[in-house]
Amino acid sequence: MNQSMENPWKAIDLTDYENHMKLDDVRQLQTLNEMMKDQLHDYLVKTVMILGVAGGNGLDHIKPKQFERVYGVDVNGDYLAECCRRYEDLNSFFPIEADLTGDDLELPCAELLLADLLIEYVGCECFLRVVKLVDPQYASCIIQVNSGEETFVSDSPYLHSFDRLYEVHHQVTEPLLTESMEKGGYSFLAKEERNLPNGKKLVRLDYGKEG
């Protein structure tokens, strides 16, 4: 992506995004929420970083004092502000406004890294750079797998809110992601699939640092 162009995610209204994601024939918001519950509880860690945290979907599963720090990273500052408003009682939450594709990216370390429907918008190479910066013990990723001729953004009344996403979209597959993570020193740990109403599915892929 041309670094001089503003990231299209900065122009997408959070309400449009969430309303699209929770439509009955999309159900990605609800399915992600269910899958994040396991992501947040499957590993005994004290720090977690959520890339593309948006409005905080899934943070409701965090128990009091479960984590010392929960970093929520997003390129859209308005998303982060709403996230902080919704979860003002989550004292361990630390918002970070950052463009993961930026050349001067700086991020703190965290033991667990979550990247749900995020890698498609930065690419495997960029994601691996983020992984090296954060240096997690575990990385849990959820990617979308399309069936047939389905486009990567599902049809909905909010479809035109996402018109510019093609500028930053990358095709990500399980073999491609696993190959990339292995190059970065991470071994495949586990896989989970959830079918969606429109023929698509969400695939969770977990990796652990070798050695």
Side-chain angles (χ1 to χ4, degrees):
M1 185 181 69
N2 187 336
Q3 293 298 317
S4 65
M5 294 174 61
E6 182 174 71
N7 191 304
W9 278 106
K10 288 188 174 184
I12 297 175
D13 183 79
L14 181 62
T15 302
D16 287 349
Y17 171 65
E18 292 183 334
N19 284 341
H20 165 80
M21 292 280 282
K22 68 183 181 184
L23 286 169
D24 286 342
D25 57 351
V26 178
R27 287 196 64 81
Q28 290 194 12
L29 197 75
Q30 301 92 322
T31 307
L32 276 174
N33 185 279
E34 295 166 3
M35 297 176 78
M36 281 187 70
K37 182 177 181 180
D38 291 334
Q39 284 182 304
L40 290 164
H41 290 88
D42 281 351
Y43 302 104
L44 293 176
V45 297
K46 287 299 182 182
T47 55
V48 58
M49 180 179 292
I50 302 170
L51 302 177
V53 70
N57 184 34
L59 293 182
D60 51 301
H61 297 302
I62 295 177
K63 299 175 181 178
K65 300 181 179 180
Q66 179 182 354
F67 300 111
E68 293 175 359
R69 286 179 176 260
V70 178
Y71 299 107
V73 182
D74 209 287
V75 70
N76 191 316
D78 292 338
Y79 291 4
L80 292 172
E82 178 61 17
C83 196
C84 290
R85 187 193 69 79
R86 292 176 178 177
Y87 298 96
E88 60 182 357
D89 294 333
L90 185 59
N91 297 325
S92 58
F93 183 72
F94 294 84
I96 299 175
E97 185 175 348
D99 187 338
L100 300 180
T101 64
D103 294 330
D104 56 350
L105 181 66
E106 293 184 8
L107 292 172
C109 293
E111 296 169 279
L112 172 62
L113 182 66
L114 302 189
D116 298 343
L117 301 187
L118 177 284
I119 304 172
E120 290 94 332
Y121 299 106
V122 298
C124 287
E125 184 177 341
C126 176
F127 178 61
L128 187 57
R129 183 168 67 98
V130 173
V131 169
K132 290 179 179 178
L133 277 175
V134 179
D135 193 30
Q137 187 65 38
Y138 306 101
S140 185
C141 315
I142 295 177
I143 62 174
Q144 174 183 295
V145 176
N146 301 335
S147 63
E149 300 300 316
E150 279 282 348
T151 57
F152 70 95
V153 177
S154 299
D155 189 25
S156 87
Y158 307 96
L159 185 61
H160 289 298
S161 297
F162 310 101
D163 281 347
R164 287 188 55 219
L165 287 185
Y166 76 90
E167 298 173 13
V168 292
H169 183 258
H170 297 72
Q171 190 65 37
V172 177
T173 63
E174 177 184 343
L176 185 64
L177 179 58
T178 297
E179 179 184 4
S180 179
M181 292 297 287
E182 287 176 347
K183 287 180 180 177
Y186 285 80
S187 299
F188 173 79
L189 294 178
K191 174 181 177 179
E192 177 193 4
E193 294 186 2
R194 295 282 188 98
N195 292 321
L196 299 171
N198 55 9
K200 299 181 180 183
K201 61 182 176 182
L202 297 183
V203 179
R204 173 185 167 187
L205 302 165
D206 284 16
Y207 304 90
K209 186 195 290 188
E210 298 172 352

